[in-house]
């Protein structure tokens, strides 16, 4: 007999225990079965799971479990993106080594994941801070260095003076460090770069083949790569024996005859050379170091510049043009210099007007006004004027003609430029993967020999805020030169943590191999069939992972061209925000759990009070769950209160995966109540379910039974279509429909219906609420393990209605509808039509002249 109470904690612990004991989720390569690699982005071990994690991993788990029931050999691994700044910050605050903090967080979060019942192959677990993992970062870095894909150069970087580190462009917000808020400075320093631009064309072109990616993400990647077709043009420097030229990149070579000056970036070698002798220029360059290197920062700052006192020759006319240094020219883009065409480029226009430089119109525009910019000035659909022999040509013809002439003179040619820059991976941080190099006074920079890898990061150091502690750690620093054996120093820079996450999905396939980065198992599992994660990783992480995979392919390590076949970007989890304004404009946020709300009849919140003291609080609308706004909901407490299944069910039911999800207390309660109903149904109908397992001839079933069965199979058909589309919210609605279609207290003749219907329901729910589905499946004798039960498909015959509905008219006017058996004859149809109550009202007291029956459609009663 079944327990009559739904007790999620007891069920979930027992079912999880059995999975662990059986190694239920250990994945083994098996050439005989189709493989399916389902991957969720690995979490940063921040301390505890948040709802965003729960949503992400539930989506992945639902897909994993369903694919397994459909016969696929499924791999779903998990790991930890374990290097990074928060561990250093925690170390500074609490005096614990980052390693200890990180490993403790991992231990805690691993238990949380296990309590949620995810079908993870824990044997493949990895943490990117483990030497066994990052050894291969180092090994591969050295292979890339040998190939010139990793190279050293001095770059202009964003420097955060507080954190004492280089920031990536996206870590600079409004010219300030994203974490410290400190004004960012530009600095030059030697760094290691990965030559991702070598792959720019392929990274762009192969986006086209990624049919399983959201268009939006592909567009973001394409824009980031930023391919521009244009030309490189050389402006020889006057008074320099024609030796030195200023190279510029332009997308408007057609406007060359309108170039009136040349401008170089403040970090351009020419500007630096002039600055050596000219203190004004030196001062200008110094000032322009302030502010970030981001395009946004540069686009919004005031355009400033000064002449360098040099002249360049126009490559076609020989006219002397002044050379300026200007802060709107980026050193990192194109050639770090522009040919200025003030008449047709908005930035040059503003600059020329500010400094009184000539403006020469060369593209036809009526009423050209050189004081007021209009967007049509830069329109490419117009023809050239004031351009000598090029007059009358359009953009393309003009570009071609000018490029051909330049090429003949050896002063330019058509060229493609990418916005994408090489990936600087050096970080002046402690908690990251050491770059495996040694600096020797005699031999220079020497690679650590392969057999000495990994270069281990000391796990007992505690950063104290005064820069990288490796710089003070003699044990780490002092080393013998591998080449000459003399005293040498280790490199103390570590790698950008994006390196760690660029290939972890490959390592999962071969995680127990100490002797190789990956082995043949990578080719069995790759590519990842379904990748799931946040849209915030749409650009960098995905681009780096694609690049890294292609490099590994080119070095013969894997076959895959692209790492991720299908990509799902899940929406954010939102919750209400409540706050009070305290003195001095300070805002104090309150957790939604401490607030009682009043709603209007549309369900909108119109007033809110703090529960403890009844004092009014302000409602701040709905927003992403965040620590600072105190509107997060702790998954742990949800699991404790309602169980993992209800938490998972709510997450899947509340919204389709890609949309935002609004947290709701009544929603999770509703999910839990539904599972209670499912349980109660099993308790009430146990005998029928057990009795109804035999095969049954549905063609002989009563109309009522067949109608109920039709409802169930229609819902199943819909659920399967929705599973395919990954619309899990309507899968849950279909499950609810099925439960409603089943008789609550079944009679013996309903046994077959109940057994079949409930078996379908359990299997539909199994991916979403695996524990309760498993328990009921085995308890009711359906089988041992629902994990590998055959996925239910609808029976086409069940969809065929044996009852049809006919329209009944009286004198051509619609008066009723009747349902009749599909096989009913004329007489039966006629009598059904005449017995409809409404039809009778219109027929009463009249003479029926004729009854017309159009089979399958209508009945018309003609009366007089
Ligand atoms: C002359 C010109 C005339 C331009 C005109 C535009 C309009 P995209 O499309 O983004 O590739 N440029 C080139 N290098 C630059 C740098 N380092 N810093 C700032 N601006 C730079 O943009 C290419 C255009 O951006 C180039 O074409 C150049 O200005 C400018 F009517 O050259 B153009
Ligand atoms: Zn040496």
């Amino acid at each position: 007999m079944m327990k009559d109470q739904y007790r999620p904690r007891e069920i979930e612990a027992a079912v999880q225990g059995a999975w662990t004991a059986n190694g239920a989720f250990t994945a083994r390569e098996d050439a005989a079965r189709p493989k399916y690699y389902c991957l969720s982005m690995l979490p940063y071990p921040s301390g505890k799971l948040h709802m965003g994690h729960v949503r992400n991993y539930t989506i992945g788990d639902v897909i994993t479990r369903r694919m397994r029931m459909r016969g696929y050999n499924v791999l779903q691994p998990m790991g930890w993106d374990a290097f990074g700044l928060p561990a250093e910050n925690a170390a500074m605050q609490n005096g614990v080594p980052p390693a200890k903090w990180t490993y403790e967080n991992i231990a805690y979060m691993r238990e949380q994941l296990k309590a949620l019942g995810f079908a993870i192959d824990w044997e493949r677990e990895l943490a990117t801070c483990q030497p066994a993992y990052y050894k291969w970062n180092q090994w591969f870095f050295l292979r890339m260095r040998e190939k010139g894909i990793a190279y050293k150069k001095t770059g202009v970087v964003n420097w955060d003076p507080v954190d004492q580190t280089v920031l990536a462009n996206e870590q600079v917000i409004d010219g300030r460090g994203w974490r410290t808020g400190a004004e960012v400075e530009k600095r030059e320093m030697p760094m290691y770069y990965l030559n991702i631009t070598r792959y720019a064309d392929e990274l762009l072109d192969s986006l086209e083949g990624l049919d399983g990616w959201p268009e939006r993400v592909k567009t973001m990647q394409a824009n980031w790569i930023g391919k521009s077709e244009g030309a490189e043009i050389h402006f020889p420097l006057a008074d320099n024996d024609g030796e030195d030229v200023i190279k510029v990149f332009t997308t408007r070579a057609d406007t060359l005859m309108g170039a009136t000056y040349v401008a170089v970036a403040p970090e351009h070698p020419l500007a630096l050379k002039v600055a050596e002798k000219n203190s004004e220029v030196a001062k200008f360059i110094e000032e322009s170091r302030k502010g970030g290197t981001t395009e946004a920062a540069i686009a919004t700052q005031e355009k400033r510049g000064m002449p360098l006192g040099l002249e360049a020759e126009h490559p076609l006319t020989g006219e002397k043009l002044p050379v300026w240094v200007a802060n709107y020219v980026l050193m990192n883009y194109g050639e770090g210099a522009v040919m200025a065409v003030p008449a047709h480029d908005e930035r040059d226009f503003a600059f020329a007007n500010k400094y009184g430089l000539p403006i020469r119109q060369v593209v036809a525009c009526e009423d050209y006004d050189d004081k007021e910019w209009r967007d049509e000035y830069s329109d490419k659909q117009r023809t050239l004027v004031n351009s000598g022999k090029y007059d009358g040509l359009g953009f393309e013809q003009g570009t071609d003609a000018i490029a051909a002439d330049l090429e003949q003179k050896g002063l330019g040619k058509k060229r493609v430029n990418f916005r994408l820059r090489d990936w600087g991976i050096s970080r002046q941080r402690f908690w990251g993967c050491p770059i495996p190099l040694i600096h020797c006074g005699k031999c220079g920079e020497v690679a650590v020999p392969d057999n000495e890898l990994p270069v281990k990061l000391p796990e007992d150091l505690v950063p104290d805020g005064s820069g990288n502690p490796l710089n003070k750690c003699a044990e780490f620093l002092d080393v013998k030169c591998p080449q000459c054996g003399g005293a040498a120093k280790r490199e103390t820079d570590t790698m950008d943590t994006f390196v760690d996450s660029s290939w972890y999905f490959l390592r999962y396939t071969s995680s127990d191999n100490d002797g190789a980065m990956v082995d043949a198992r990578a080719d069995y599992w790759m590519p990842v069939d379904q990748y799931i994660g946040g849209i915030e990783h749409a650009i960098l992480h995905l681009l780096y992972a694609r690049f890294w995979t292609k490099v590994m392919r080119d070095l013969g390590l894997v076959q895959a061209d692209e790492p991720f076949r299908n990509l799902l970007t899940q929406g954010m989890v939102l919750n209400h925000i409540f706050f009070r304004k305290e003195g001095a404009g300070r805002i104090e946020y309150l957790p939604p759990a401490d607030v009682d709300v009043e709603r209007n009849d549309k369900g909108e919140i119109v007033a809110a009070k703090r529960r403890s003291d009844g004092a009014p609080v302000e409602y701040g609308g709905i927003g992403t769950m965040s620590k600072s706004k105190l509107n997060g909901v702790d998954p742990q407490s949800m699991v404790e209160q309602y169980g993992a299944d209800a938490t998972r069910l709510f997450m899947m039911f509340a919204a389709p995966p890609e949309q935002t999800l609004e947290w709701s207390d009544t929603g999770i309660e509703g999910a839990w109540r539904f599972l209670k109903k499912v349980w109660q149904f099993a308790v009430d109908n146990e005998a029928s379910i057990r009795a109804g397992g035999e095969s049954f001839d549905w063609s002989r079933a009563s109309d009522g039974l067949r109608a109920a069965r039709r409802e169930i199979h229609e819902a199943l058909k819909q659920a399967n279509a929705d599973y395919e589309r990954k619309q899990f919210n309507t899968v849950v609605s279909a499950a609810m429909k099925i439960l409603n279609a089943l008789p609550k207290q079944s009679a013996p003749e309903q046994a077959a219906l109940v057994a079949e219907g409930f078996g379908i329901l359990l299997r539909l729910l199994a991916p979403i609420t695996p524990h309760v589905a498993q328990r009921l499946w085995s308890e009711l004798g359906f089988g041992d393990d629902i994990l590998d039960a055959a996925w239910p498909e609808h029976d086409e015959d069940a969809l065929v209605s044996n009852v049809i509905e006919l329209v009944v008219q009286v004198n051509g006017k619609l008066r009723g509808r009747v349902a009749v058996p599909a096989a009913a004859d004329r007489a039966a149809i006629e009598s059904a039509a005449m017995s409809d109550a409404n039809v009778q009202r219109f027929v009463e007291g009249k003479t029926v002249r004729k009854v017309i029956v159009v089979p399958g459609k209508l009945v018309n009663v003609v009366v007089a």
Side-chain angles (χ1 to χ4, degrees):
M1 266 303 279
M2 286 195 47
K3 296 230 172 70
D4 54 0
Q5 283 277 327
Y6 171 49
R7 293 186 211 282
R9 295 187 67 175
E10 194 183 302
I11 297 168
E12 288 167 9
V15 170
Q16 286 165 13
W19 287 335
T20 308
N22 303 337
F25 308 123
T26 305
R28 290 280 170 264
E29 299 68 31
D30 174 1
R33 281 193 297 156
K35 66 91 187 180
Y36 194 87
Y37 185 177
C38 186
L39 181 69
S40 289
M41 288 181 185
L42 82 178
Y44 179 78
S46 54
K48 51 186 188 176
L49 289 187
H50 56 65
M51 280 297 174
H53 291 129
V54 177
R55 188 176 196 200
N56 192 156
Y57 303 145
T58 303
I59 294 166
D61 200 48
V62 168
I63 297 170
T64 292
R65 289 173 177 274
R66 177 164 180 270
M67 291 309 279
R68 175 173 179 158
M69 289 173 75
R70 295 182 64 215
Y72 286 81
N73 185 24
V74 184
L75 168 61
Q76 178 175 243
M78 183 56 73
W80 309 94
D81 190 13
F83 276 136
L85 271 177
E88 289 191 39
N89 296 334
M92 282 186 246
Q93 261 174 26
N94 315 319
V96 271
K100 184 169 189 287
W101 183 84
T102 304
Y103 285 120
E104 280 173 7
N105 287 349
I106 288 175
Y108 185 75
M109 291 170 76
R110 185 193 300 117
E111 289 317 303
Q112 289 193 302
L113 287 176
K114 288 190 171 169
L116 280 154
F118 298 131
I120 289 166
D121 181 356
W122 285 106
E123 287 176 28
R124 298 174 190 250
E125 178 185 1
L126 58 83
T128 58
C129 64
Q130 289 162 331
Y133 180 77
Y134 66 68
K135 171 184 176 178
W136 301 108
N137 284 355
Q138 296 174 344
W139 180 85
F140 196 64
F141 169 83
L142 293 176
R143 300 294 85 74
M144 289 195 284
R145 187 165 167 272
E146 287 159 7
K147 297 270 176 202
I149 296 171
Y151 65 94
K152 196 172 195 171
K153 103 178 163 187
T154 302
V156 181
V157 296
N158 302 301
W159 179 256
D160 185 321
V162 173
D163 262 350
Q164 293 282 303
T165 192
V166 172
L167 298 177
N169 277 345
E170 63 283 357
Q171 292 176 320
V172 180
I173 294 148
D174 296 332
R176 290 171 183 276
W178 64 288
R179 219 188 59 78
T180 60
E183 208 165 301
V184 167
E185 296 163 9
K186 286 186 206 170
R187 266 214 190 175
E188 274 178 34
M189 53 175 59
M191 303 213 305
Y192 262 91
Y193 284 83
L194 301 186
N195 192 195
I196 188 171
T197 53
R198 192 189 291 190
Y199 287 83
D201 255 319
E202 191 190 345
L203 287 166
L204 183 66
D205 292 346
S206 47
L207 281 175
E208 231 166 276
L210 296 176
D211 301 327
W213 282 40
E215 272 321 307
R216 168 161 90 113
V217 174
K218 289 194 275 187
T219 305
M220 285 161 84
Q221 293 233 333
N223 289 341
W224 189 262
I225 295 167
K227 184 174 184 171
S228 287
E229 317 233 2
E232 179 184 311
I233 301 181
H234 301 181
F235 288 74
L237 275 174
D239 333 313
N240 231 320
D241 314 325
E243 262 190 5
D244 282 351
V245 296
I246 303 177
K247 290 182 187 172
V248 307
F249 174 75
T250 177
T251 46
R252 293 299 305 272
D254 61 316
T255 64
L256 179 55
M257 302 305 272
T260 59
Y261 65 99
V262 173
V264 301
E267 305 84 358
H268 193 280
L270 194 61
L272 297 175
K273 207 163 121 194
V274 172
E276 283 169 15
K277 293 189 207 106
N278 182 332
S279 62
E280 291 281 295
V281 171
K283 210 175 116 207
F284 176 82
I285 294 172
E286 190 48 42
E287 273 166 18
S288 58
R289 278 180 198 282
K290 292 190 193 118
T293 58
T294 59
E295 283 172 34
I298 286 171
T300 48
Q301 74 193 352
E302 199 202 334
K303 287 176 188 50
R304 294 187 314 116
M306 61 185 297
L308 287 179
L310 297 172
E311 285 183 323
E313 280 169 21
H314 191 285
L316 295 181
T317 65
E319 185 189 349
K320 301 264 192 303
L321 305 178
V323 179
W324 283 59
V325 54
N327 67 349
Y328 70 94
V329 183
L330 300 158
M331 191 56 216
N332 288 339
Y333 190 74
E335 297 292 338
V338 301
M339 67 174 209
V341 183
H344 303 289
D345 179 279
E346 190 172 359
R347 293 160 296 181
D348 301 342
F349 184 88
F351 194 83
N353 266 306
K354 178 166 177 179
Y355 292 106
L357 289 155
I359 297 175
R360 185 181 304 147
Q361 184 194 357
V362 290
V363 175
C365 300
E366 269 172 50
D367 310 322
Y368 189 93
D369 175 356
D370 64 11
K371 293 279 168 285
E372 183 107 21
W373 174 261
R374 298 207 306 266
D375 284 341
E376 63 186 81
Y377 296 167
S378 59
D379 185 1
K380 288 182 185 171
Q381 316 300 327
R382 294 159 185 266
T383 50
L384 293 174
V385 296
N386 300 331
S387 295
K389 70 179 210 191
Y390 309 111
D391 278 358
L393 298 180
F395 166 71
E396 263 164 51
Q397 300 159 302
T399 302
D400 288 349
I402 287 174
D405 288 349
L406 286 170
E407 193 148 12
Q408 221 191 1
K409 296 188 149 197
L411 289 176
K413 56 177 182 298
K414 278 203 186 180
R415 203 190 87 184
V416 167
N417 190 63
F418 289 94
R419 186 173 164 275
L420 184 68
R421 327 250 161 88
D422 277 347
W423 173 15
I425 59 157
S426 298
R427 295 289 179 276
Q428 294 64 41
R429 305 245 46 119
F430 165 63
W431 191 234
C433 169
I435 294 180
L437 295 171
I438 289 168
H439 302 281
C440 169
K442 266 193 249 155
C443 316
E445 194 181 88
V446 184
V448 174
D450 284 357
N451 61 11
E452 286 174 26
L453 297 180
V455 175
K456 279 195 193 166
L457 194 66
E459 294 202 342
D460 52 355
L461 294 185
V462 184
D464 58 6
S466 66
N468 187 346
L470 290 177
N471 290 323
K472 290 180 241 157
C473 176
E475 235 172 288
F476 178 84
L477 277 177
D478 295 329
V479 66
K480 282 211 173 73
C481 169
Q483 245 163 52
C484 70
K489 296 269 182 225
R490 273 195 202 284
E491 169 67 56
T492 57
D493 278 359
T494 54
M495 297 183 196
D496 180 4
T497 57
F498 273 118
V499 167
D500 308 325
S501 53
S502 288
W503 69 283
Y504 73 104
F505 45 90
L506 283 159
R507 184 64 188 167
Y508 284 142
T509 68
S510 317
S511 58
D512 57 0
N513 192 334
D514 294 334
M517 188 175 185
V518 290
D519 55 43
R521 290 173 290 175
D523 290 329
Y524 175 79
W525 290 112
M526 288 299 287
V528 170
D529 295 279
Q530 180 68 58
Y531 197 29
I532 305 129
I535 186 78
E536 65 275 19
H537 296 298
I539 298 178
L540 292 182
H541 162 58
L542 291 172
L543 194 65
Y544 293 151
R546 295 179 60 220
F547 159 66
W548 197 283
T549 303
K550 288 174 193 295
V551 180
M552 282 182 70
R553 175 203 61 194
D554 289 350
L555 296 183
L557 292 161
V558 293
Q559 284 169 17
D561 288 316
E562 282 288 334
F564 313 121
R565 185 172 283 157
N566 295 290
L567 174 69
L568 188 153
T569 50
Q570 96 268 5
M572 299 282 223
V573 183
L574 314 179
N575 200 1
H576 299 288
I577 299 167
F578 298 100
F579 64 91
R580 292 207 287 215
K581 290 208 186 91
E582 300 290 305
R586 216 167 56 78
I587 283 183
E588 186 201 1
Y589 289 95
L590 293 127
D594 293 353
V595 173
D596 283 321
V597 297
E598 221 176 275
R599 292 172 187 270
N600 64 14
D601 47 0
K602 284 188 209 127
E604 296 158 344
I605 294 177
V606 288
K609 279 190 209 130
R610 185 186 195 142
R611 195 160 291 166
S612 57
D613 56 13
V617 298
E618 288 185 58
Y619 176 50
I622 203 147
T624 325
M625 283 189 178
S626 84
K627 270 193 196 143
S628 61
K629 305 230 157 93
L630 298 185
N631 66 338
V633 175
D634 184 11
Q636 189 77 22
S637 63
M638 288 302 121
V639 172
E640 276 162 19
Q641 199 177 344
Y642 298 102
D645 281 336
T647 305
R648 297 167 56 121
L649 181 67
F650 166 67
M651 283 281 173
M652 294 302 97
F653 185 45
E658 298 190 287
Q659 282 170 31
T660 55
L661 182 155
E662 286 184 22
W663 183 262
S664 125
D665 294 333
T666 51
I668 177 129
E669 234 179 88
W672 175 71
R673 270 202 310 274
F674 172 70
L675 294 179
K676 259 175 51 167
K677 260 168 67 182
V678 171
W679 188 269
Q680 192 58 45
F681 181 90
V683 171
D684 294 343
N685 297 279
E686 185 176 356
S688 303
I689 294 170
R690 286 182 184 283
E694 309 296 309
S695 70
F696 187 79
D697 181 1
W698 287 103
S699 64
R700 301 236 194 97
S702 71
D703 288 349
L705 274 185
R706 291 183 53 161
R709 184 168 190 255
R710 187 157 62 100
E711 257 185 81
I712 291 165
H713 281 260
E714 260 165 11
L716 171 59
K717 184 178 178 187
Q718 176 224 310
N720 274 334
D722 291 341
Y723 259 126
E724 277 311 299
R725 299 190 294 148
K726 304 190 178 67
Q727 288 268 339
F728 307 129
N729 56 325
T730 45
V731 167
V732 178
S733 326
M736 293 172 171
K737 268 190 221 160
I738 292 177
L739 188 63
N740 283 335
L742 290 170
K744 297 289 152 284
Q745 305 279 344
S746 51
E749 66 272 16
Q750 292 168 319
L753 175 78
V754 169
E756 187 195 50
F758 202 64
I760 288 172
L761 176 69
L762 291 182
R763 281 173 292 164
L764 274 188
L765 285 175
I768 302 171
T769 60
H771 311 87
V772 65
Q774 168 61 41
R775 172 56 67 85
L776 291 174
W777 185 258
S778 61
E779 196 105 333
L780 295 168
F782 282 107
D784 291 336
D785 237 331
I786 201 168
L787 282 175
D788 295 307
W791 188 258
E793 297 294 343
H794 72 271
D795 177 357
E796 209 47 61
D797 288 343
L799 301 185
V800 178
S801 172
N802 52 351
V803 178
I804 47 174
E805 195 175 72
L806 297 177
V807 164
V808 186
Q809 300 174 331
V810 178
N811 285 352
K813 287 213 176 82
L814 176 66
R815 297 300 183 198
R817 290 174 205 278
V818 291
V820 298
D825 59 12
R826 238 195 95 94
I829 293 173
E830 214 179 293
S831 84
M834 297 305 289
S835 57
D836 181 87
N838 199 43
V839 172
Q840 279 202 345
R841 263 193 337 119
F842 287 93
V843 174
E844 214 172 53
K846 303 198 174 121
T847 317
V848 175
R849 287 275 156 84
K850 203 161 45 166
V851 180
I852 302 159
V853 177
V854 183
K857 284 220 174 88
L858 63 76
V859 180
N860 188 13
V861 185
V862 183
V863 295

